[in-house]
Every structure is written in structure tokens, then in C-alpha cells.
Amino acid sequence: MADRYQSLAHNPIGKFIVKNLGLPNPPVLERWNEGDPLVKGTVLIGAAAGGTLGKKLTATLKSSGITSVGVRADGKTYKGLVFDATGISDTAGLADMQQFFTPALRSLARSGRLVVIGTLPEQAGSETAAIAQRALEGFVRSAGKEVGGNGSTANLVYVGAGAEDALGSTLEFLLSPKSAFVDGQVIRLGLTELVDADKVADPAKPLAGKVALITGASRGLGEAMARTLHRDGAAIVGLDVPQLSGELEAVMAELGGTAIAEDITSPEAPKVIAAALKKAHGGVDIVVHNAGITRDKRLKNMKTENWNLVIDISVGAPQRITAELLKQKLIRPGGRVIGISSIAGIAGNNGQTSYGTAKAGVIGFVNDLSKRVAKDGITVNAIAPGFIETDMVKTMPLGIREAGRRLSSLSQGGQPIDVAEAIAWYANPGSSAISGNVVRVCGQALIGA
Ligand code: NAD
């Protein structure tokens, strides 16, 4: 849906008013278009002494077609600033990071990217190192708030033992405009048993040969996911309620996909979906449990039937469907199961007890299942969207809607493509070290921070 304030803030009169009244001034966020280079510019790399990544970082960026340098040149601007903090073993060592970023920030381009790479604190080897590594989180969250005004973001990647070679897909995502609305996030690689990343034969079609099931695919975020995974080469199987079968079929016809008209809460749904996947493709590689609804009411006015519906659609049905697909061994090795949580499931939200409960349940689903299926080479993660411009947010009262948009480091709502790009990153064959993660796509919203 349209953000009128943002359009107004960018016309000449609006600009004048926004500036003089000190109102939020949402930056125009750069987004990725097919055919664009991943990073339109150079990335500057820095490192604390004793880091585990060393030259690997430059080599990883190079193999992704991203140009990087290790020495800052005066007068040059950089599209990304990447700091290898894995060598920081005590809090005094954190100054290395400050000394890299302070001068470099002055040469950060618009829609620039700050990425810090650390070691999982629980694997840091000593108490002092664990404390220093944990401190990185506060750094990126605060830095994100400082650089948001020009559309830039800051994120942290913790690398577990053995996952040092699996950074490629994550750096491609975080450094490119594909992560326009991902800000202040912590991504953990190597939380579960590691499997070798699959090679991507064609970087323009990383999902070629893969089959993706997306629930709630007729509109909103689900439709954007279907289009994006299709862009990346996947065959799409879209599902939606029978009432929206016309809309679903139209989207699937455009993408050459298969439509399943089914209510995911029906008792037959798991078997119906399994049979459809078996028939169309013999199995599935990527399962995105995107369908979700809100039936917001204060707890004191809550109806049990609505409570049950919200929870069953977001988490009960996804759990039953995944269990059936696993039982029938339809999720192939290298598979991806992806849930959609919400910042309301992380921080809670006034008037959203059912939704917050359901979306926190999605996080429980990810935590539990990711450990159980790691041995089969299947990853399980979730995205927790913040305020994204879809039909769902049209029903919000105006005041809450405006607050949702402005109270973030980027002062605007995200677009469905922002969530879809994050799904494509999880789905990427190179993302096999990412499991058990819940990453917010929220522009660093104040809610859920
Ligand atoms: P939407 O209402 O536009 O789309 C949701 C889709 O799910 C619809 O096509 C709907 O028909 C389908 N669906 C609902 N119940 C179903 C059922 N029982 N069986 C099959 N399909 C069903 O909403 P959206 O904004 O695109 O949201 C997509 C997901 O993202 C949801 O899980 C939502 O909770 C989550 N989310 C959205 C936002 C946001 O700001 N838009 C924020 C946080 C989380």
C-alpha cells in the first residue's frame, strides 16, 4: 500500500516542511533489480588481529563478484564496510572495531552496508572472549540507528566452528540491496550440525532444479516470495484457501507453477499437500509456511474460536504439514523449511495476544525442528517481518499504522520484496550453515528491538 507521507517528504514543498519541523525523513532505499551487480561499488574490509577469517573474506567476496579492498583511500566512497571481529578476545580489543569504523563511516555511500563478523560467543573459548563477542551485538544495533538516515544498515554475523567457509550467500545478501530492510540483525552460522553447501551452478538462477511450496501465495508476501523464488529458478507450488483459488491460479499461471486450493487447517491438508507435491514434482526442496491471519482483540474481549484460528494457521498447521512431508520423506536432502514469525512474536504487541502467541510458537517450531532435521541436511529458519506494506496492514488504525512505519531506523515500512529476498537467501543452496535462525526484516523497528 502507498506511503503518502514518504512521497510528500520527497516533493520540494514537503522536503522544506520536513526539514524545518524536524520530522522523520525516510530515505529512498536502493533495491536490487535483475541484472544489477550485487554491490554497486567497493567494499572496505578491516580486521582485528588474530581473526580466523584472514584472506578467506577477500576470496569469498571475490568469488561472489564483489570488489573489496583492505586499505581506505582518501576521497573514495565505499558501499560496504566489513569488519572481521573474530580475533577480538577481550573488551579492550573492541577498540580495533571502533578504530576501523570511525574514519571509514565518513566514506560510506548512501544505502551502504556495515557488516561485523564475530565468533559465536558460546564457542569463543574463554569468558573474556565470550563477553567481548557478545558486545558486538550492541555495537551493530546502535550503529544501525546512526546510519539509517541515509538508507544504510548494520548487521552482525556470528560464525560457528567449521562455518568459516559458508559465509558467501550471507555476505552476498547483507552487502547487496537485497537486504534493504534488514537492519540491526544477528545471524548465526553453524548453530546445528554442518552439511556441505551445495554448489550454485548459475549465480543468476541459484534455485534452478529446486521446487518451492509457498502457502498463502495468492497475494501479499506470499505472492512476492513466489515471484522471487521463481526469478531465482525454482519451480513454484502455490497454495491458498479455495475462496482465493482464482487469484492463486492467475499468479501460478504467470509463473508456470502449480496451484493447490486448500485450507491448511483442514484435517486432510497435510495429506492433500503431500500428494500434490508427489504428483507434480516427486518431492519438495523449499517449504515456506507463509499463510497467516490476524484477529486482533484485547485479551479481555477475545473469542476462543478466533484465538484457535490464528494459532492453528500460523503454527499448528505448519507443524502438521511439515511432519507429514518428513514422514513421507518428501523434503529432499538440502531442504529448507521456513516459517514466518513477526516482531509481535518477539516483543509482543498491545491487542495481539493471539497473534503474538502464534508467532512466538513459530520461533519454537524453528528452534526444535532445526536440531531434529540437521542430520538430514535440512535447515529450518524463520523470518520475522516488521511493518510491511501489504493488505494486512490496511486494517490497522491510522495512528498505529503511521507509528509502525516511522518508528524504525529507516523511518518507513518495508516492501513485500524485502521479505521475499530474505526467503531467497535462506533457500540459497549456499545457506546450508544457516539453521535455527529467526531474522527480522523490519528496518530495525523499535518494536521487537
Ligand atoms: P495477506 O493477508 O496479504 O496474505 C496472507 C495469505 O495467507 C492470504 O493469501 C490468505 O488467503 C492466506 N491464508 C490465510 N489463512 C489460510 C489458510 N487457513 N489456508 C491457506 N491459506 C491461508 O498477509 P501478508 O501481509 O502477506 O502476510 C503473510 C505472512 O506474513 C503472514 O504469516 C503474516 O502473519 C506475516 N506477517 C506480515 C506482516 C506485514 O506487515 N504484512 C508483518 C509480520 C508478519
Side-chain angles (χ1 to χ4, degrees):
M1 67 172 300
D3 179 349
R4 290 211 183 86
Y5 176 88
Q6 188 175 10
S7 318
L8 192 78
H10 289 124
N11 79 32
I13 299 169
K15 253 188 201 159
F16 177 82
I17 297 171
V18 162
K19 194 167 169 218
N20 285 285
L21 294 183
L23 296 172
N25 188 5
V28 176
L29 303 184
E30 200 177 301
R31 289 198 169 77
W32 190 79
N33 296 305
E34 243 180 306
D36 282 356
L38 275 176
V39 178
K40 282 188 193 156
T42 304
V43 171
L44 178 67
I45 299 182
T52 55
L53 299 174
K55 293 210 166 61
K56 259 184 204 160
L57 204 48
T58 320
T60 303
L61 293 180
K62 194 173 171 205
S63 70
S64 301
I66 299 171
T67 310
S68 67
V69 292
V71 181
R72 194 169 59 88
D74 279 340
K76 193 168 163 46
T77 56
Y78 297 95
K79 204 68 185 170
L81 306 174
V82 177
F83 188 75
D84 172 8
T86 56
I88 297 179
S89 56
D90 57 27
T91 47
L94 292 164
D96 285 1
M97 181 170 63
Q98 177 268 319
Q99 283 162 15
F100 169 73
F101 280 110
T102 297
L105 270 186
R106 291 186 202 114
S107 32
L108 184 68
R110 296 187 76 77
S111 288
R113 298 285 183 265
L114 272 57
V115 178
V116 175
I117 307 172
T119 302
L120 280 173
E122 56 272 35
Q123 294 181 8
S126 72
E127 183 190 346
T128 52
I131 292 168
Q133 289 296 323
R134 178 60 181 80
L136 301 176
E137 220 178 295
F139 173 78
V140 291
R141 292 193 197 279
S142 300
K145 294 186 179 185
E146 284 191 21
V147 300
N150 77 352
S152 298
T153 62
N155 292 289
L156 170 63
V157 184
Y158 279 130
V159 183
E164 298 84 358
D165 293 322
L167 269 164
S169 67
T170 299
L171 289 177
E172 285 173 13
F173 175 62
L174 289 181
L175 288 170
S176 74
K178 292 182 177 183
S179 61
F181 208 58
V182 179
D183 198 5
Q185 294 308 291
V186 181
I187 293 158
R188 295 172 173 83
L189 265 62
L191 277 182
T192 58
E193 206 172 308
L194 284 174
V195 286
D196 287 340
D198 285 351
K199 290 268 172 298
V200 172
D202 175 4
K205 298 276 175 213
L207 302 180
K210 306 281 183 192
V211 175
L213 166 71
I214 300 156
T215 67
S218 72
R219 65 177 197 209
L221 302 186
E223 181 188 350
M225 291 169 198
R227 293 185 185 282
T228 305
L229 298 188
H230 174 260
R231 173 201 75 188
D232 284 359
I236 306 297
V237 180
L239 177 146
D240 217 306
V241 287
Q243 300 91 296
L244 290 179
S245 62
E247 286 86 340
L248 178 69
E249 270 162 28
V251 176
M252 289 305 121
E254 236 187 277
L255 306 179
T258 309
I260 307 176
E262 183 73 22
D263 182 329
I264 55 168
T265 63
S266 85
E268 307 78 41
K271 288 207 163 62
V272 168
I273 295 167
L277 287 170
K278 210 169 174 176
K279 184 167 172 229
H281 299 284
V284 65
D285 302 282
I286 302 154
V287 177
V288 191
H289 293 295
N290 163 72
I293 59 161
T294 50
R295 291 288 182 272
D296 296 345
K297 276 273 182 276
R298 289 287 171 85
L299 187 53
K300 61 182 177 189
N301 301 322
M302 182 71 66
K303 287 200 173 88
T304 302
E305 70 193 75
N306 285 339
W307 169 275
N308 285 340
L309 194 62
V310 167
I311 291 177
D312 203 40
I313 291 175
S314 266
V315 68
Q319 190 190 350
R320 292 192 297 275
I321 293 163
T322 310
E324 183 65 27
L325 297 179
L326 287 169
K327 191 172 126 200
Q328 295 196 30
K329 299 205 180 327
L330 288 173
I331 306 181
R332 295 191 265 253
R336 306 280 187 260
V337 178
I338 303 169
I340 302 297
S341 179
S342 162
I343 51 174
I346 296 172
N349 206 12
N350 197 344
Q352 287 203 308
T353 50
S354 54
Y355 191 67
T357 305
K359 295 302 189 181
V362 174
I363 299 174
F365 171 75
V366 166
N367 290 344
D368 176 74
L369 188 65
S370 58
K371 294 182 193 108
R372 287 194 286 115
V373 298
K375 60 178 185 331
D376 305 315
I378 298 170
T379 69
V380 187
N381 295 285
I383 290 299
F387 186 99
I388 310 290
E389 305 282 356
T390 66
D391 285 351
M392 193 177 248
V393 301
K394 274 187 192 159
T395 57
M396 285 181 176
L398 180 68
I400 296 178
R401 194 158 69 215
E402 266 311 289
R405 279 185 178 133
R406 302 308 153 216
L407 295 179
S408 74
S409 298
L410 300 170
S411 329
Q412 60 196 284
Q415 297 298 326
I417 184 68
D418 299 329
V419 177
E421 293 285 16
I423 301 292
W425 157 62
Y426 278 152
N428 190 294
S431 297
S432 56
I434 309 166
S435 196
N437 277 251
V438 179
V439 171
R440 285 166 27 206
V441 177
C442 69
Q444 205 178 19
L446 227 58
I447 299 170

